[in-house]
Structures are given as C-alpha cells and as structure tokens.
Amino acid sequence: MRIGYGFDVHEIVADRPLVLGGQRIPAEFGLLGHSDADVVLHAVMDAMLGALALGDIGQHFPNTDVRFKDADSLELLRHVSQLVHDRGYQLGNLDVMVLAEAPKLAPYSLRMRESIATACACEVDQVSIKATTMETLGFVGRKEGIAAQAVVLLVSEGE
C-alpha cells in the first residue's frame, strides 16, 4: 500500500463559477486558477501522485501550458487515476477536508463524492469529503480563499 497527502488553495474572485469536487456549487464567487480551480480535485490529484512518487499536478498539468487553460479537473483526475492503475494500484480510500467559510458544502457532499468515485473507478463509500470553517481566522476566515487537504491510501490491484 502507498499513502499520499495533497494540499491546494485558490483565491476567491468574482465572476467565476465555483467548482468543488467536480460539481458547480451555487455561490456569488468562484476561485482563481489556470484550470477550473477545483481546489478539492487538485488536492486529491496531488495526494494520488505523491503516493506513487510521481511528482505533483504542476508537473503533469503546468499552468504555463495552454492545453490546461480552463481545464475540467475531473478530466485531469481521470488521467491521474489511469496513471495509478497503470502502475498496478487502485484507490483504497480517500479523505478530503475542505477549509471554507462559505458556502455550506454539506448539501453537495454526496454529489462530489460520486463524481470523484466515478473518475477514480471506485465505490462512493471509499471517498469521504468533510468541510470546516476557520472561525474567521487567516485568509480562509477572511473569505480570501478556499483550501483543501486530501489523504489517500492506494492498494495494489487484486488485494
């Protein structure tokens, strides 16, 4: 088995859709980024890549490459999941913590879990998504950004 950790943060901006866990979340703001700025999926991909010592998403999908401008992070996650599979591993489980003051994410958690499970070819009960506020502390607490942390366990296929 292999364990990986991922972290990502994006700045809150007006006039962009908010995409988290592969889902558009109703909000009056979005996140700034080269791709769709899905902070959840970016942390997940970094955790998966890290578990297999394959670098990070910046190496695989550089923000200097126009091919990834406004990219759908679910498509990028499918690619990373295939890399994992090609190396003989599959997702054992994934645990994500989203740090955001707003919006409340509980109503969208199941849809996010389903999107990730589909992209990673696993069961929904292998994917956990939780959210917390920062109690008005730091850049997240001041509503300047949203962050996500992810821990992944990859297991050899067939186990």
Side-chain angles (χ1 to χ4, degrees):
M1 67 180 134
R2 306 289 292 261
I3 298 169
Y5 171 77
F7 175 82
D8 196 37
V9 61
H10 283 276
E11 180 183 356
I12 290 174
V13 295
D15 301 323
R16 277 193 57 119
L18 179 61
V19 180
L20 297 172
Q23 297 296 310
R24 280 187 85 150
I25 308 296
E28 295 180 7
F29 59 85
L31 298 174
L32 182 62
H34 184 68
S35 66
D36 61 8
D38 188 329
V39 70
V40 170
L41 296 188
H42 294 182
V44 169
M45 288 185 280
D46 267 344
M48 293 172 76
L49 292 166
L52 294 177
L54 296 176
D56 60 36
I57 61 172
Q59 293 169 298
H60 290 264
F61 314 110
N63 64 7
T64 55
D65 190 328
V66 296
R67 292 178 299 161
F68 304 118
K69 177 73 175 140
D70 298 321
D72 179 347
S73 291
L74 270 175
E75 289 299 319
L76 304 181
L77 178 59
R78 286 184 191 95
H79 176 79
V80 169
S81 184
Q82 186 62 51
L83 291 175
V84 168
H85 174 74
D86 290 347
R87 281 156 182 80
Y89 287 87
Q90 63 188 7
L91 187 74
N93 74 296
L94 169 66
D95 190 18
V96 177
M97 175 64 76
V98 183
L99 297 91
E101 292 297 307
K104 296 294 184 193
L105 297 177
Y108 311 102
S109 176
L110 179 59
R111 287 190 0 228
M112 288 189 276
R113 292 174 59 214
E114 290 169 341
S115 291
I116 293 168
T118 298
C120 293
C122 70
E123 299 299 319
V124 173
D125 68 0
Q126 292 172 270
V127 178
S128 170
I129 296 184
K130 306 175 303 290
T132 189
T133 69
M134 294 294 293
E135 303 294 334
T136 71
L137 298 174
F139 72 90
V140 171
R142 291 187 301 270
K143 298 182 183 177
E144 296 171 2
I146 293 179
Q149 301 175 352
V151 177
V152 65
L153 173 67
L154 302 180
V155 295
S156 294
E157 291 184 341
E159 289 188 21

